Short mmCIF file of all heavy atoms in Angstrom, two decimals:
data_model
loop_
_atom_site.label_atom_id
_atom_site.label_comp_id
_atom_site.label_asym_id
_atom_site.label_seq_id
_atom_site.Cartn_x
_atom_site.Cartn_y
_atom_site.Cartn_z
N GLY A 1 46.08 -50.45 -7.09
CA GLY A 1 46.47 -49.88 -8.38
C GLY A 1 46.39 -48.37 -8.44
O GLY A 1 46.66 -47.78 -9.49
N GLY A 2 45.99 -47.74 -7.33
CA GLY A 2 46.01 -46.28 -7.28
C GLY A 2 44.68 -45.60 -7.51
O GLY A 2 44.64 -44.37 -7.69
N SER A 3 43.57 -46.34 -7.48
CA SER A 3 42.26 -45.73 -7.73
C SER A 3 41.95 -44.63 -6.71
O SER A 3 41.54 -43.53 -7.08
CB SER A 3 41.17 -46.80 -7.70
OG SER A 3 39.89 -46.23 -7.88
N ILE A 4 42.13 -44.94 -5.43
CA ILE A 4 41.88 -43.93 -4.39
C ILE A 4 42.87 -42.79 -4.51
O ILE A 4 42.50 -41.60 -4.39
CB ILE A 4 41.95 -44.59 -3.00
CG1 ILE A 4 40.79 -45.55 -2.80
CG2 ILE A 4 41.96 -43.53 -1.90
CD1 ILE A 4 40.82 -46.31 -1.49
N SER A 5 44.13 -43.11 -4.75
CA SER A 5 45.17 -42.09 -4.82
C SER A 5 44.89 -41.09 -5.94
O SER A 5 45.06 -39.87 -5.76
CB SER A 5 46.53 -42.75 -5.05
OG SER A 5 46.80 -43.71 -4.03
N ARG A 6 44.47 -41.58 -7.10
CA ARG A 6 44.17 -40.68 -8.22
C ARG A 6 42.97 -39.79 -7.89
O ARG A 6 42.95 -38.60 -8.26
CB ARG A 6 43.90 -41.50 -9.48
CG ARG A 6 45.15 -42.14 -10.07
CD ARG A 6 44.88 -42.75 -11.42
NE ARG A 6 43.98 -43.90 -11.32
CZ ARG A 6 44.38 -45.15 -11.11
NH1 ARG A 6 45.66 -45.42 -10.95
NH2 ARG A 6 43.51 -46.14 -11.05
N ARG A 7 41.99 -40.35 -7.19
CA ARG A 7 40.82 -39.56 -6.83
C ARG A 7 41.21 -38.45 -5.85
O ARG A 7 40.79 -37.31 -5.99
CB ARG A 7 39.77 -40.48 -6.19
CG ARG A 7 38.40 -39.88 -6.09
CD ARG A 7 37.40 -40.92 -5.61
NE ARG A 7 36.05 -40.44 -5.65
CZ ARG A 7 35.01 -41.10 -5.18
NH1 ARG A 7 35.20 -42.31 -4.65
NH2 ARG A 7 33.79 -40.61 -5.24
N VAL A 8 42.03 -38.81 -4.86
CA VAL A 8 42.47 -37.82 -3.88
C VAL A 8 43.33 -36.75 -4.54
O VAL A 8 43.21 -35.56 -4.22
CB VAL A 8 43.25 -38.51 -2.74
CG1 VAL A 8 43.89 -37.49 -1.81
CG2 VAL A 8 42.33 -39.43 -1.94
N GLU A 9 44.17 -37.15 -5.46
CA GLU A 9 45.01 -36.18 -6.16
C GLU A 9 44.16 -35.19 -6.95
O GLU A 9 44.48 -33.99 -7.02
CB GLU A 9 46.00 -36.89 -7.08
CG GLU A 9 46.99 -35.98 -7.79
CD GLU A 9 47.88 -35.20 -6.83
OE1 GLU A 9 48.04 -35.64 -5.65
OE2 GLU A 9 48.41 -34.16 -7.25
N GLY A 10 43.08 -35.68 -7.54
CA GLY A 10 42.16 -34.78 -8.25
C GLY A 10 41.55 -33.77 -7.31
O GLY A 10 41.45 -32.57 -7.63
N TRP A 11 41.11 -34.23 -6.14
CA TRP A 11 40.57 -33.30 -5.13
C TRP A 11 41.63 -32.29 -4.71
O TRP A 11 41.34 -31.11 -4.54
CB TRP A 11 40.09 -34.07 -3.90
CG TRP A 11 38.91 -34.94 -4.14
CD1 TRP A 11 37.95 -34.78 -5.08
CD2 TRP A 11 38.56 -36.12 -3.40
NE1 TRP A 11 37.01 -35.78 -4.99
CE2 TRP A 11 37.36 -36.61 -3.96
CE3 TRP A 11 39.14 -36.80 -2.33
CZ2 TRP A 11 36.73 -37.76 -3.48
CZ3 TRP A 11 38.51 -37.94 -1.84
CH2 TRP A 11 37.33 -38.42 -2.41
N ARG A 12 42.85 -32.77 -4.53
CA ARG A 12 43.94 -31.91 -4.05
C ARG A 12 44.28 -30.82 -5.07
O ARG A 12 44.52 -29.67 -4.71
CB ARG A 12 45.17 -32.76 -3.75
CG ARG A 12 46.31 -32.01 -3.09
CD ARG A 12 47.42 -32.99 -2.67
NE ARG A 12 48.52 -32.29 -2.03
CZ ARG A 12 49.50 -31.72 -2.68
NH1 ARG A 12 49.53 -31.77 -4.01
NH2 ARG A 12 50.47 -31.11 -2.04
N ILE A 13 44.29 -31.18 -6.35
CA ILE A 13 44.59 -30.20 -7.40
C ILE A 13 43.50 -29.12 -7.43
O ILE A 13 43.79 -27.92 -7.56
CB ILE A 13 44.70 -30.90 -8.76
CG1 ILE A 13 45.99 -31.75 -8.81
CG2 ILE A 13 44.69 -29.88 -9.90
CD1 ILE A 13 46.11 -32.60 -10.05
N ARG A 14 42.25 -29.53 -7.30
CA ARG A 14 41.15 -28.56 -7.27
C ARG A 14 41.30 -27.63 -6.06
O ARG A 14 41.06 -26.42 -6.16
CB ARG A 14 39.80 -29.28 -7.22
CG ARG A 14 39.48 -30.01 -8.51
CD ARG A 14 38.36 -31.02 -8.33
NE ARG A 14 37.09 -30.40 -7.96
CZ ARG A 14 35.98 -31.10 -7.70
NH1 ARG A 14 36.01 -32.42 -7.74
NH2 ARG A 14 34.87 -30.48 -7.38
N LEU A 15 41.71 -28.19 -4.94
CA LEU A 15 41.89 -27.39 -3.74
C LEU A 15 43.06 -26.43 -3.88
O LEU A 15 42.99 -25.26 -3.44
CB LEU A 15 42.12 -28.32 -2.54
CG LEU A 15 41.94 -27.75 -1.14
CD1 LEU A 15 40.54 -27.18 -0.97
CD2 LEU A 15 42.18 -28.84 -0.11
N LEU A 16 44.13 -26.88 -4.51
CA LEU A 16 45.28 -26.00 -4.74
C LEU A 16 44.91 -24.83 -5.65
O LEU A 16 45.36 -23.70 -5.46
CB LEU A 16 46.43 -26.80 -5.36
CG LEU A 16 47.20 -27.73 -4.41
CD1 LEU A 16 48.15 -28.61 -5.19
CD2 LEU A 16 47.96 -26.90 -3.37
N THR A 17 44.08 -25.10 -6.65
CA THR A 17 43.62 -24.02 -7.54
C THR A 17 42.82 -22.99 -6.78
O THR A 17 43.00 -21.78 -6.96
CB THR A 17 42.77 -24.62 -8.68
OG1 THR A 17 43.54 -25.58 -9.41
CG2 THR A 17 42.29 -23.53 -9.62
N LEU A 18 41.94 -23.46 -5.89
CA LEU A 18 41.15 -22.54 -5.08
C LEU A 18 42.05 -21.74 -4.13
O LEU A 18 41.85 -20.53 -3.94
CB LEU A 18 40.10 -23.33 -4.29
CG LEU A 18 38.98 -23.96 -5.11
CD1 LEU A 18 38.16 -24.92 -4.24
CD2 LEU A 18 38.08 -22.90 -5.72
N SER A 19 43.03 -22.43 -3.54
CA SER A 19 43.95 -21.74 -2.63
C SER A 19 44.75 -20.67 -3.36
O SER A 19 45.01 -19.58 -2.81
CB SER A 19 44.90 -22.76 -1.99
OG SER A 19 44.19 -23.66 -1.16
N ALA A 20 45.15 -20.96 -4.60
CA ALA A 20 45.91 -19.98 -5.39
C ALA A 20 45.06 -18.74 -5.66
O ALA A 20 45.55 -17.60 -5.58
CB ALA A 20 46.37 -20.61 -6.69
N GLN A 21 43.77 -18.94 -6.00
CA GLN A 21 42.88 -17.80 -6.21
C GLN A 21 42.76 -16.96 -4.95
O GLN A 21 42.80 -15.73 -4.99
CB GLN A 21 41.50 -18.30 -6.64
CG GLN A 21 41.47 -19.00 -7.98
CD GLN A 21 40.08 -19.54 -8.31
OE1 GLN A 21 39.08 -19.02 -7.82
NE2 GLN A 21 40.03 -20.58 -9.13
N LEU A 22 42.62 -17.65 -3.82
CA LEU A 22 42.46 -16.93 -2.55
C LEU A 22 43.73 -16.17 -2.17
O LEU A 22 43.67 -15.01 -1.74
CB LEU A 22 42.08 -17.92 -1.45
CG LEU A 22 41.90 -17.36 -0.04
CD1 LEU A 22 40.84 -16.27 -0.03
CD2 LEU A 22 41.52 -18.48 0.92
N GLU A 23 44.87 -16.79 -2.36
CA GLU A 23 46.13 -16.15 -2.00
C GLU A 23 46.40 -14.91 -2.86
O GLU A 23 46.97 -13.93 -2.40
CB GLU A 23 47.29 -17.14 -2.14
CG GLU A 23 47.26 -18.30 -1.15
CD GLU A 23 47.43 -17.86 0.29
OE1 GLU A 23 47.98 -16.75 0.52
OE2 GLU A 23 46.98 -18.60 1.19
N SER A 24 45.98 -14.99 -4.12
CA SER A 24 46.19 -13.83 -4.99
C SER A 24 45.37 -12.64 -4.52
O SER A 24 45.83 -11.49 -4.60
CB SER A 24 45.82 -14.18 -6.44
OG SER A 24 44.42 -14.42 -6.56
N VAL A 25 44.16 -12.90 -4.00
CA VAL A 25 43.35 -11.81 -3.48
C VAL A 25 43.95 -11.26 -2.19
O VAL A 25 43.99 -10.05 -1.96
CB VAL A 25 41.90 -12.30 -3.23
CG1 VAL A 25 41.08 -11.23 -2.51
CG2 VAL A 25 41.24 -12.65 -4.55
N LEU A 26 44.45 -12.18 -1.34
CA LEU A 26 45.06 -11.73 -0.09
C LEU A 26 46.32 -10.92 -0.32
O LEU A 26 46.57 -9.91 0.36
CB LEU A 26 45.38 -12.96 0.78
CG LEU A 26 44.21 -13.66 1.46
CD1 LEU A 26 44.66 -14.97 2.11
CD2 LEU A 26 43.56 -12.75 2.50
N ASP A 27 47.13 -11.33 -1.31
CA ASP A 27 48.42 -10.67 -1.54
C ASP A 27 48.33 -9.43 -2.41
O ASP A 27 49.08 -8.47 -2.23
CB ASP A 27 49.40 -11.66 -2.17
CG ASP A 27 49.78 -12.78 -1.20
OD1 ASP A 27 49.57 -12.61 0.01
OD2 ASP A 27 50.26 -13.83 -1.68
N PHE A 28 47.40 -9.46 -3.38
CA PHE A 28 47.39 -8.37 -4.37
C PHE A 28 45.99 -7.77 -4.55
O PHE A 28 45.66 -7.23 -5.59
CB PHE A 28 47.87 -8.88 -5.73
CG PHE A 28 49.20 -9.60 -5.66
CD1 PHE A 28 49.25 -10.98 -5.80
CD2 PHE A 28 50.37 -8.89 -5.43
CE1 PHE A 28 50.47 -11.65 -5.73
CE2 PHE A 28 51.58 -9.55 -5.37
CZ PHE A 28 51.64 -10.94 -5.50
N GLY A 29 45.16 -7.90 -3.51
CA GLY A 29 43.78 -7.43 -3.63
C GLY A 29 43.65 -5.94 -3.84
O GLY A 29 42.63 -5.46 -4.35
N ASP A 30 44.68 -5.17 -3.49
CA ASP A 30 44.62 -3.72 -3.65
C ASP A 30 45.08 -3.25 -5.01
O ASP A 30 45.07 -2.05 -5.31
CB ASP A 30 45.45 -3.03 -2.56
CG ASP A 30 46.90 -3.52 -2.55
OD1 ASP A 30 47.16 -4.57 -3.19
OD2 ASP A 30 47.73 -2.86 -1.91
N GLU A 31 45.48 -4.21 -5.88
CA GLU A 31 45.92 -3.83 -7.22
C GLU A 31 44.76 -3.90 -8.20
O GLU A 31 43.80 -4.64 -7.99
CB GLU A 31 47.07 -4.73 -7.68
CG GLU A 31 48.31 -4.62 -6.78
CD GLU A 31 49.47 -5.43 -7.29
OE1 GLU A 31 49.37 -5.95 -8.42
OE2 GLU A 31 50.48 -5.55 -6.57
N ASP A 32 44.90 -3.17 -9.31
CA ASP A 32 43.77 -3.03 -10.24
C ASP A 32 43.40 -4.34 -10.92
O ASP A 32 42.23 -4.58 -11.22
CB ASP A 32 44.10 -1.96 -11.29
CG ASP A 32 44.21 -0.57 -10.67
OD1 ASP A 32 43.62 -0.38 -9.59
OD2 ASP A 32 44.87 0.28 -11.29
N ASP A 33 44.42 -5.19 -11.21
CA ASP A 33 44.14 -6.38 -12.01
C ASP A 33 43.69 -7.56 -11.14
O ASP A 33 43.45 -8.65 -11.64
CB ASP A 33 45.37 -6.78 -12.83
CG ASP A 33 46.58 -7.03 -11.94
OD1 ASP A 33 46.56 -6.57 -10.78
OD2 ASP A 33 47.54 -7.67 -12.42
N VAL A 34 43.61 -7.39 -9.82
CA VAL A 34 43.16 -8.46 -8.94
C VAL A 34 42.01 -7.94 -8.08
O VAL A 34 42.17 -6.97 -7.34
CB VAL A 34 44.30 -8.95 -8.01
CG1 VAL A 34 43.78 -10.05 -7.09
CG2 VAL A 34 45.46 -9.46 -8.85
N GLY A 35 40.83 -8.51 -8.25
CA GLY A 35 39.67 -8.06 -7.49
C GLY A 35 39.36 -8.99 -6.33
O GLY A 35 40.22 -9.70 -5.83
N GLU A 36 38.10 -8.99 -5.92
CA GLU A 36 37.66 -9.86 -4.84
C GLU A 36 37.43 -11.27 -5.38
O GLU A 36 37.47 -11.52 -6.59
CB GLU A 36 36.37 -9.30 -4.23
CG GLU A 36 36.55 -7.94 -3.58
CD GLU A 36 35.26 -7.44 -2.96
OE1 GLU A 36 34.23 -8.12 -3.14
OE2 GLU A 36 35.29 -6.40 -2.30
N LEU A 37 37.18 -12.18 -4.45
CA LEU A 37 36.89 -13.56 -4.85
C LEU A 37 35.65 -13.62 -5.73
O LEU A 37 34.64 -12.99 -5.43
CB LEU A 37 36.68 -14.44 -3.61
CG LEU A 37 37.92 -14.85 -2.83
CD1 LEU A 37 37.51 -15.61 -1.58
CD2 LEU A 37 38.84 -15.70 -3.69
N SER A 38 35.73 -14.37 -6.80
CA SER A 38 34.60 -14.48 -7.72
C SER A 38 33.55 -15.43 -7.16
O SER A 38 33.81 -16.24 -6.26
CB SER A 38 35.09 -14.99 -9.08
OG SER A 38 35.56 -16.33 -8.95
N GLU A 39 32.37 -15.36 -7.72
CA GLU A 39 31.30 -16.27 -7.32
C GLU A 39 31.65 -17.70 -7.69
O GLU A 39 31.23 -18.65 -7.02
CB GLU A 39 30.00 -15.85 -8.01
CG GLU A 39 28.78 -16.65 -7.58
CD GLU A 39 28.48 -16.51 -6.09
OE1 GLU A 39 28.80 -15.45 -5.52
OE2 GLU A 39 27.93 -17.48 -5.51
N GLU A 40 32.46 -17.86 -8.74
CA GLU A 40 32.88 -19.21 -9.15
C GLU A 40 33.72 -19.88 -8.07
O GLU A 40 33.69 -21.11 -7.94
CB GLU A 40 33.69 -19.13 -10.45
CG GLU A 40 32.85 -18.77 -11.67
CD GLU A 40 33.68 -18.78 -12.94
OE1 GLU A 40 34.91 -19.01 -12.84
OE2 GLU A 40 33.11 -18.56 -14.02
N PHE A 41 34.46 -19.10 -7.28
CA PHE A 41 35.25 -19.66 -6.20
C PHE A 41 34.34 -20.40 -5.23
O PHE A 41 34.61 -21.56 -4.85
CB PHE A 41 36.01 -18.54 -5.47
CG PHE A 41 36.78 -19.02 -4.27
CD1 PHE A 41 38.08 -19.46 -4.39
CD2 PHE A 41 36.19 -19.04 -3.01
CE1 PHE A 41 38.79 -19.91 -3.27
CE2 PHE A 41 36.88 -19.47 -1.89
CZ PHE A 41 38.18 -19.92 -2.02
N ARG A 42 33.26 -19.76 -4.80
CA ARG A 42 32.33 -20.38 -3.87
C ARG A 42 31.65 -21.59 -4.50
O ARG A 42 31.44 -22.63 -3.86
CB ARG A 42 31.27 -19.37 -3.42
CG ARG A 42 31.82 -18.16 -2.68
CD ARG A 42 32.40 -18.55 -1.34
NE ARG A 42 32.93 -17.39 -0.61
CZ ARG A 42 33.58 -17.48 0.54
NH1 ARG A 42 33.79 -18.67 1.09
NH2 ARG A 42 34.03 -16.40 1.14
N GLN A 43 31.30 -21.47 -5.77
CA GLN A 43 30.64 -22.58 -6.46
C GLN A 43 31.57 -23.79 -6.59
O GLN A 43 31.16 -24.93 -6.33
CB GLN A 43 30.17 -22.13 -7.85
CG GLN A 43 29.06 -21.09 -7.81
CD GLN A 43 28.72 -20.56 -9.19
OE1 GLN A 43 29.39 -20.87 -10.18
NE2 GLN A 43 27.69 -19.74 -9.27
N ASP A 44 32.82 -23.54 -6.94
CA ASP A 44 33.78 -24.64 -7.08
C ASP A 44 34.05 -25.30 -5.73
O ASP A 44 34.20 -26.53 -5.65
CB ASP A 44 35.10 -24.12 -7.67
CG ASP A 44 34.96 -23.72 -9.13
OD1 ASP A 44 33.95 -24.11 -9.75
OD2 ASP A 44 35.85 -23.02 -9.64
N LEU A 45 34.12 -24.50 -4.68
CA LEU A 45 34.35 -25.05 -3.35
C LEU A 45 33.15 -25.89 -2.90
O LEU A 45 33.31 -26.95 -2.29
CB LEU A 45 34.61 -23.92 -2.36
CG LEU A 45 35.03 -24.32 -0.93
CD1 LEU A 45 36.23 -25.26 -0.96
CD2 LEU A 45 35.34 -23.08 -0.11
N GLU A 46 31.96 -25.44 -3.24
CA GLU A 46 30.75 -26.20 -2.91
C GLU A 46 30.71 -27.52 -3.67
O GLU A 46 30.33 -28.56 -3.12
CB GLU A 46 29.51 -25.37 -3.21
CG GLU A 46 28.20 -26.05 -2.81
CD GLU A 46 26.99 -25.17 -3.03
OE1 GLU A 46 27.16 -24.00 -3.43
OE2 GLU A 46 25.87 -25.65 -2.82
N LEU A 47 31.11 -27.50 -4.95
CA LEU A 47 31.14 -28.73 -5.74
C LEU A 47 32.16 -29.72 -5.18
O LEU A 47 31.91 -30.93 -5.15
CB LEU A 47 31.48 -28.40 -7.20
CG LEU A 47 30.37 -27.73 -8.01
CD1 LEU A 47 30.89 -27.34 -9.39
CD2 LEU A 47 29.16 -28.66 -8.14
N LEU A 48 33.29 -29.21 -4.71
CA LEU A 48 34.29 -30.08 -4.11
C LEU A 48 33.74 -30.74 -2.85
O LEU A 48 33.91 -31.95 -2.63
CB LEU A 48 35.56 -29.29 -3.78
CG LEU A 48 36.66 -30.05 -3.04
CD1 LEU A 48 37.14 -31.24 -3.88
CD2 LEU A 48 37.82 -29.14 -2.69
#
């Protein structure tokens, strides 16, 4: 019925969010409105 699939999709969405944060720092880290990775990034990755 998709129990495992829904769980994996939840993990995947969280991972995509983290990847988006990281890519923004890699691509635009030298701009004023984008700084370094936040402490929340590490915390969210640890929770995952």
Side-chain angles (χ1 to χ4, degrees):
S3 177
I4 292 176
S5 304
R6 288 189 293 272
R7 195 173 187 186
V8 172
E9 184 61 22
W11 293 333
R12 187 173 180 275
I13 290 173
R14 291 164 64 183
L15 197 58
L16 285 171
T17 301
L18 292 170
S19 295
Q21 295 177 26
L22 179 57
E23 293 295 338
S24 67
V25 172
L26 286 172
D27 293 342
F28 308 107
D30 56 345
E31 298 184 9
D32 293 337
D33 58 342
V34 179
E36 297 182 354
L37 283 175
S38 66
E39 185 61 29
E40 289 183 357
F41 176 90
R42 299 293 180 185
Q43 293 174 354
D44 290 344
L45 187 53
E46 183 176 356
L47 287 174
L48 176 60

